[in-house]
Amino acid sequence: MEPLHKEKKHLLIVGGTGFIGSHLAEYIINKGWKVSSLSRKSKKNKLIKKVKYIYANISYSKNLKEKLNHKFTHVVNLCG
């Protein structure tokens, strides 16, 4: 028996603007998940409309904590 309040799955892709990350995001969105992408630099071309893009340097923990204010059910690290 499944719970009545089933939470939608939310994936955070660290390095989501790269080749593999962007293709993974498209695949996961087509499966009905919410997707967020964490990257150091913005990639102005070929942004996916349903992806929430978060730009931060993961070396600075204070900045990172401010930017990551969502709850994620899954995390994939694809950063280089």
Side-chain angles (χ1 to χ4, degrees):
M1 180 177 233
E2 292 189 35
L4 295 175
H5 239 64
K6 191 172 181 181
E7 189 176 321
K8 188 171 187 177
K9 294 180 181 179
H10 191 171
L11 173 66
L12 172 65
I13 303 173
V14 182
T17 56
F19 180 81
I20 297 172
S22 62
H23 284 83
L24 176 62
E26 287 177 350
Y27 177 80
I28 293 296
I29 286 172
N30 289 332
K31 295 292 183 183
W33 292 37
K34 291 180 5 180
V35 176
S36 296
S37 168
L38 175 65
S39 298
R40 186 176 57 190
K41 296 179 183 177
S42 66
K43 187 175 182 180
K44 296 192 180 356
N45 59 348
K46 198 165 182 184
L47 294 179
I48 303 166
K49 290 183 182 180
K50 292 185 178 182
V51 174
K52 176 171 178 20
Y53 290 94
I54 304 165
Y55 300 107
N57 189 337
I58 62 173
S59 300
Y60 303 112
S61 62
K62 183 179 179 184
N63 185 23
L64 192 58
K65 286 179 186 178
E66 293 172 3
K67 301 266 184 166
L68 295 179
N69 55 3
H70 303 289
K71 291 187 178 184
F72 306 103
T73 57
H74 299 78
V75 177
V76 175
N77 185 358
L78 298 174
C79 68

